[in-house]
Amino acid sequence: MIIDILNSEIDPAGKNIRAAIDSLIEENKESAFPLFENNEITFHTTANRIINSTSADVNCEADLIIVVSRHSSVNPVPVLTVHPAGNYGKAELGGNDNELGRTAPLWMKAVLQNHAKFVPEGYRVSYEITHHGPTDFPAPFFFVEVGSTEKEWNDEAAYTAAAKSVLYAKPSKDIVPLIGFGGTHYAVRQSAIGLNTKGAFGHIMHTRDTGRVTPETVKQMIEKSGGVSYAHVDKKSLSKSEISNIEAALKAVNLREITEGELMMLNSMSLKTWAEFGEFAKNVRKDIRIFPHGKIPEGKPVLVTLPEDLFSCAFLKNEEVLIEKLDSFGGVFHSTNPSGKLLPVFFTTESLRRNLSDYLIVLSIQQITRTQDCLVEDDKLTITRRQFDAESARNFGVPSGPLFGSLAAGKEVTVNGKTVTPEMVTKVTTTTIKIPGLEN
């Protein structure tokens, strides 16, 4: 792979980052840096402003172009950023109208994560939304910047950190490529996703541009990001009409949304595994939601269910116990309906099916025996419940109030010279649950 690093002679931050790259290579040799692993690195410096650069300014044989540059802002903050290039409307800062540049989500994520490793004290780390040219480089490209004033552009700690972010970049293949909608210039939610999940953004659209999203816009964002798996919509930063417009455009091109919570879940499995289990679960119940516990291995998805009466008796009022135990077991999804009610439906891999089934049955019985009288015989579990019966107490002449409380607490009481014992006012009910396979 040929990677070209471009800077401008008239950009102080770009010159400083490039100089720091040269210095680090001279001090440590190329072999010290992941960027050089199986890659050929070339360098170009242009006399033009970076936003007005053309294909003539870069290596025309490059497979990837990394532009090192300054970041400036009307609201300056010390920051290390990474972002794609392009224009969603009129080209006011280079490039062509309504054109996005080709970009590289995997590499941008790798640099963003390195920014977080090397960032000097007092600086923030961020994606930026897509917002300026150029747009017609011959290979995927992105900007690596130091901002936002001359002070930061000439801060050795900052530009050296940016240089290290480039030199130590080593993209992971286990990522989820995304496009993003909504948020401010510094793409706060997208930055958090890029740093804390497998999500890797290509093009990102500022809230101000979302009102004019069309299916064609989305298609271009997907294409120029090199193809993506999902779209993330920062709904807290958008109005209902903006959300509706985005969702209509996504539906038109058949691109699914993914939430930050779902991306966090993907930290425990591959995208392939997530997709397989998601599809399998939807075939079981269309409106089901699934939540992973522990590392989810590769394997054929299977369904494990508990008898509903057993599940209710064990976990109806003790859902947190089940969740905690599933975290310890790992390799399993629990499920809920859309309103969040826990379902007696679980998903795991074929290799874990029997272990999970046995574990859930044993866990259910243990939970029931802790709180209720029960008898296990063959494949049946008989639960005996004893409950204070207020109606019986009244029939014995016991007035409601403190005496009810005494009887319910297991103490006998005296009413009109007669003794009433707890056993006399206790209702006994039994429930028998058949559990297939329990006799084994």
Side-chain angles (χ1 to χ4, degrees), residues 48-238:
N48 301 319
R49 288 188 66 190
I50 286 291
I51 60 172
N52 297 322
S53 298
T54 67
S55 296
D57 295 306
V58 297
N59 184 344
C60 64
E61 296 182 353
D63 300 294
L64 176 70
I65 300 165
I66 301 175
V67 183
V68 293
S69 174
R70 67 181 180 182
H71 166 73
S72 58
S73 172
V74 292
N75 298 306
V77 293
V79 63
L80 302 182
T81 74
V82 57
H83 73 85
N87 300 303
Y88 292 110
K90 185 175 176 58
E92 297 179 350
L93 292 170
N96 300 317
D97 294 348
N98 304 303
E99 182 179 58
L100 304 179
R102 296 167 62 193
T103 196
L106 279 72
W107 283 92
M108 282 199 293
K109 179 181 177 68
V111 171
L112 179 74
Q113 291 178 318
N114 281 345
H115 277 345
K117 291 179 184 177
F118 301 122
V119 61
E121 185 176 353
Y123 283 74
R124 65 191 290 184
V125 170
S126 181
Y127 276 124
E128 291 178 73
I129 51 91
T130 305
H131 64 290
H132 64 61
T135 58
D136 58 356
F137 277 177
F141 68 102
F142 61 92
F143 282 73
V144 177
E145 299 183 338
V146 172
S148 301
T149 68
E150 190 172 353
K151 177 183 177 182
E152 289 79 35
W153 303 336
N154 291 293
D155 181 351
E156 183 177 1
Y159 63 70
T160 301
K164 288 181 177 179
S165 294
V166 172
L167 289 170
Y168 283 97
K170 186 174 183 178
S172 168
K173 293 181 180 179
D174 187 19
I175 62 99
V176 182
L178 308 166
I179 55 173
F181 298 87
T184 60
H185 185 93
Y186 290 110
V188 175
R189 292 314 322 145
Q190 292 89 348
S191 298
I193 287 169
L195 291 170
N196 300 315
T197 78
K198 295 180 182 180
F201 283 94
H203 284 288
I204 306 171
M205 180 179 284
H206 195 291
T207 292
R208 63 172 173 255
D209 294 314
T210 56
R212 56 189 180 191
V213 172
T214 65
E216 289 68 33
T217 308
V218 177
K219 285 180 182 177
Q220 186 180 184
M221 292 174 74
I222 295 170
E223 178 189 351
K224 296 298 180 69
S225 298
V228 299
S229 303
Y230 297 97
H232 176 265
V233 182
D234 181 7
K235 294 184 177 179
K236 291 184 178 179
S237 70
L238 298 163

Side-chain angles (χ1 to χ4, degrees), residues 21-22 39 149 207 235 324 386 439:
I21 289 174
D22 291 342
N39 299 318
T149 68
T207 292
K235 294 184 177 179
E324 181 181 335
R386 293 174 172 81
E439 69 276 13

Side-chain angles (χ1 to χ4, degrees), residues 425-436:
V425 292
T426 297
K427 181 189 292 184
V428 180
T429 60
T430 61
T431 302
T432 299
I433 303 171
K434 182 177 175 62
I435 308 173

Side-chain angles (χ1 to χ4, degrees), residues 400-419:
S400 58
L403 295 183
F404 270 28
S406 295
L407 287 167
K411 300 175 182 178
E412 62 180 40
V413 300
T414 300
V415 180
N416 298 324
K418 295 182 179 180
T419 298

Side-chain angles (χ1 to χ4, degrees), residues 384-393 421-430:
T384 301
R385 296 186 181 87
R386 293 174 172 81
Q387 185 178 10
F388 171 68
D389 185 353
E391 185 176 351
S392 294
T421 66
E423 290 75 15
M424 296 165 63
V425 292
T426 297
K427 181 189 292 184
V428 180
T429 60
T430 61

Side-chain angles (χ1 to χ4, degrees), residues 329-391:
F329 185 87
V332 58
F333 294 83
H334 83 264
S335 66
T336 73
N337 65 13
S339 63
K341 180 183 177 183
L342 214 60
L343 300 174
V345 177
F346 306 86
F347 301 92
T348 189
T349 57
E350 193 168 39
S351 62
L352 291 175
R353 183 213 300 258
R354 183 58 187 268
N355 287 346
L356 176 61
S357 180
D358 291 347
Y359 181 78
L360 288 171
I361 290 172
V362 170
L363 181 61
S364 299
I365 294 171
Q366 288 176 342
Q367 186 62 24
I368 290 170
T369 56
R370 286 193 189 100
T371 58
Q372 304 168 68
D373 291 335
C374 64
L375 173 67
V376 178
E377 188 174 10
D378 295 328
D379 64 347
K380 295 181 179 65
L381 174 68
T382 301
I383 303 168
T384 301
R385 296 186 181 87
R386 293 174 172 81
Q387 185 178 10
F388 171 68
D389 185 353
E391 185 176 351

